[in-house]
Amino acid sequence: MEKSDLKVKVLGTWSSPFVMRARIALNMKSVNYEFLQERLWEGKSERLLKSNPVHKKVPVLIHGDKLICESLIIVEYIDEVWPSAPSILHSDPNERAIARFWAAYLDDKWFPSMRSIGFARGEDEKKAAIAEFEKGLVLLEKAFGNCRKGKPFFGGDQIGYLDIAFGCFLGWLRVTETTSGIKLLSEAKTPALINWAHRFCSDAAVKDVMPDTEKLAEFAKMIASKRRGEAPPKS
Amino acid sequence: MAEEVKLLGMWAISYNRRVERALKLKGIPYEYIEEDLSNKSNLLLQLNPVHKKILVLVHNGKPIVGSLVILEYIDETWKTNPLLPQDPYERAIARFWAKFIDEKIQPTARSANLAEGEEREKAVEECCEQLKMLENELKGKSFFGGDAIGYLDIAALVIAFWFEVVRDVVGLDLVTEKRFPSLCRWIGKLQDVDVVNQCRPPKEKHVNYIRAGYEATKAAASN
């Protein structure tokens, strides 16, 4: 049997930006997959612990009998197993290196700085967290200008690896804007990224997996109450 | 057009070694530029404005940053002696473990080296659990890459030699024969690989450097 014909499953949650990456990549390649939803707020299932014993995290891509973990590694795997157009990564090694660099920056620095806004205690801490986060956005606005070369996406005419790596966080970015009361993507500081964000969310491979902001905000509230030890809402 | 490859680095940093070994494995000539950590050159700041960190590969004027990103770039640009396996699943596994080494094993080992008493014991236990996973990944092969060293061997070399140097500084031996026979066998085999040996800094100089670093960290922590 051809590798690309084997059954594909994604173990994940609707709310995780990392899981979104895997789903967008599969959608881009028109690969049918079964979405196995985990209810992480109720604890980690046996299925998850068996599928990702090292990190015990989602997403996990299950391809036949193979298990692939770590969202960006999954995206590259998908691009390599289903090499037909559209390509997710650029063919030029230098473009690929730039995309990988920024994806690592997003995961190692930028997303944690966004989470810091949510966890900040008191106005001063919140202000500092927002300032740090906005510095990152300005860098990303500049990077977008450099990568896009006049085209609509980081990947060029179509969404690519870096669009996926970054765009998956837009839902949570909007939730952070709502809860902090501050416009983080703004016309003043990040005009190009605002337009990019609209285009990304409207993309055929993205729109069905990008969570609704209100639903995500409700979910965030639920998780926060659980963390504080309050009783979960009846639902 | 003649290829121009430069590597801006710092001799004691293990990530440096990764890139040098990859370049040597592929037979790529390069110019090495030693950076002074306390006085970063304008060239470095220009090429790596985001992180301002040491280790930039410059190929025909274009900078590439991040040791694992650089390894992939080298593998994609120069096709001789491939570093990563051909099969997509094997590639995913190699990438997974390299990331694990950088994000889990290295920080935990560093914690273990700097901590004392019960805190050290906990960190050692955690690090050993992580090393065990890597040990299992060797699965009786000579190298992670199979019969010859590859991407994951290059990434994992930090465990082979940097750990050894740190052991001489702090007296903590993490990778013992008893705990990790496969990893120790792998380290033994590495000693015979030319590109591995060509890129090892002089031991005493390295020990002194690490010792100074640790002492500075401890002094800062206790102030």
Side-chain angles (χ1 to χ4, degrees):
Chain A
M1 191 187 240
E2 270 297 318
K3 200 181 297 239
S4 44
D5 293 330
L6 295 167
K7 199 158 168 60
V8 181
K9 301 179 197 182
V10 171
L11 192 61
T13 61
W14 63 270
S15 57
S16 160
F18 304 103
V19 173
M20 260 187 82
R21 289 171 171 174
R23 297 176 76 195
I24 295 171
L26 289 167
N27 287 347
M28 280 179 76
K29 301 286 188 176
S30 304
V31 172
N32 290 323
Y33 65 94
E34 190 185 346
F35 185 38
L36 303 171
Q37 294 212 54
E38 288 285 312
R39 296 170 69 83
L40 292 175
W41 56 93
E42 288 172 5
K44 298 185 185 197
S45 70
E46 264 312 302
R47 177 175 67 185
L48 174 60
L49 297 174
K50 269 207 185 121
S51 307
N52 189 354
V54 176
H55 297 301
K56 307 173 178 57
K57 282 183 175 174
V58 293
V60 182
L61 182 75
I62 303 167
H63 186 207
D65 61 350
K66 305 230 189 299
L67 302 163
I68 301 103
C69 305
E70 297 293 283
S71 61
L72 294 174
I73 293 176
I74 290 172
V75 170
E76 294 221 32
Y77 175 83
I78 290 168
D79 204 28
E80 289 168 8
V81 170
W82 290 277
S84 58
S87 284
I88 298 177
L89 274 131
H90 205 285
S91 55
D92 174 67
N94 193 259
E95 298 293 332
R96 292 159 79 94
I98 292 169
R100 286 175 178 139
F101 168 82
W102 284 109
Y105 169 78
L106 285 161
D107 282 3
D108 296 341
K109 299 262 180 314
W110 187 79
F111 183 56
S113 75
M114 182 157 81
R115 298 190 75 199
S116 295
I117 300 173
F119 293 136
R121 291 188 211 294
E123 271 313 300
D124 285 345
E125 225 181 89
K126 190 168 132 184
K127 268 199 185 131
I130 290 173
E132 194 57 37
F133 177 73
E134 284 180 330
K135 265 195 224 161
L137 271 178
V138 167
L139 280 175
L140 289 161
E141 171 87 1
K142 197 164 174 220
F144 181 50
N146 293 333
C147 290
R148 67 186 296 196
K149 302 179 179 47
K151 304 255 171 105
F153 298 107
F154 285 92
D157 290 313
Q158 292 179 86
I159 65 169
Y161 178 86
L162 188 48
D163 297 278
I164 297 174
F166 186 13
C168 67
F169 293 121
L170 287 168
W172 282 105
L173 191 149
R174 286 174 182 146
V175 169
T176 309
E177 285 183 328
T178 309
T179 50
S180 68
I182 298 193
K183 271 248 150 276
L184 296 163
L185 276 181
S186 67
E187 276 300 334
K189 292 190 181 147
T190 57
L193 284 180
I194 285 198
N195 293 328
W196 164 81
H198 287 310
R199 288 192 294 268
F200 179 80
C201 294
S202 314
D203 188 273
V206 175
K207 58 188 199 312
D208 294 336
V209 300
M210 178 64 79
D212 169 70
T213 308
E214 250 181 70
K215 191 177 170 197
L216 207 54
E218 275 308 308
F219 176 76
K221 273 197 199 126
M222 191 260 283
I223 296 292
S225 348
K226 273 214 142 200
R227 251 191 222 119
R228 286 193 298 267
E230 293 160 17
K234 293 185 190 2
S235 61
Chain B
M1 184 181 75
E3 299 264 40
E4 192 197 52
V5 181
K6 294 187 192 189
L7 179 64
L8 273 71
M10 197 270 169
W11 67 270
I13 293 177
S14 58
Y15 300 116
N16 213 106
R17 312 274 140 221
R18 284 180 173 170
V19 176
E20 290 198 272
R21 284 172 178 132
L23 290 168
K24 286 193 192 301
L25 254 177
K26 301 252 186 190
I28 302 160
Y30 63 97
E31 183 194 345
Y32 177 68
I33 300 169
E34 180 73 27
E35 282 285 329
D36 177 357
L37 275 178
S38 58
N39 186 17
K40 292 173 185 176
S41 70
N42 283 332
L43 180 63
L44 177 73
L45 296 173
Q46 219 176 60
L47 295 170
N48 191 3
V50 176
H51 298 309
K52 303 179 178 56
K53 279 190 177 166
I54 304 286
L55 194 62
V56 183
L57 184 79
V58 188
H59 182 210
N60 294 334
K62 293 186 181 166
I64 300 107
V65 176
S67 68
L68 296 180
V69 173
I70 294 173
L71 287 187
E72 298 239 18
Y73 176 83
I74 290 171
D75 210 27
E76 288 164 2
T77 307
W78 293 278
K79 307 283 188 187
T80 51
N81 291 338
L83 302 175
L84 275 156
Q86 292 303 304
D87 175 70
Y89 176 68
E90 299 297 326
R91 292 159 75 85
I93 296 298
R95 287 168 174 148
F96 175 87
W97 288 113
K99 195 163 187 251
F100 183 76
I101 287 165
D102 282 1
E103 292 181 0
K104 300 284 178 198
I105 294 181
Q106 290 213 62
T108 315
R110 191 175 158 79
S111 298
N113 289 322
L114 287 167
E116 277 158 21
E118 208 183 291
E119 223 183 275
R120 174 179 269 198
E121 270 176 45
K122 261 179 82 183
V124 167
E125 200 184 314
E126 198 184 338
C127 196
C128 286
E129 270 169 31
Q130 293 166 347
L131 285 165
K132 187 85 190 129
M133 295 181 192
L134 201 61
E135 160 102 350
N136 292 341
E137 194 47 38
L138 260 175
K139 294 188 248 254
K141 293 181 289 194
S142 295
F143 302 104
F144 289 102
D147 293 323
I149 67 166
Y151 170 90
L152 184 51
D153 297 277
I154 293 176
L157 271 157
V158 62
I159 294 168
F161 304 128
W162 178 74
F163 275 35
E164 184 191 272
V165 169
V166 172
R167 180 195 62 206
D168 286 358
V169 172
V170 304
L172 181 62
D173 198 2
L174 284 165
V175 186
T176 62
E177 182 85 42
K178 191 170 174 209
R179 286 187 192 129
F180 309 114
S182 295
L183 280 176
C184 288
R185 221 172 5 251
W186 168 73
I187 294 171
K189 292 203 155 80
L190 286 170
Q191 319 270 10
D192 296 329
V193 178
D194 279 340
V195 297
V196 168
N197 285 318
Q198 282 163 19
C199 300
R200 292 180 69 173
K203 183 120 183 246
E204 204 177 305
K205 187 179 177 194
H206 202 190
V207 167
N208 290 336
Y209 177 83
I210 301 271
R211 179 175 290 127
Y214 273 46
E215 277 163 15
T217 307
K218 286 196 157 165
S222 60
N223 281 346

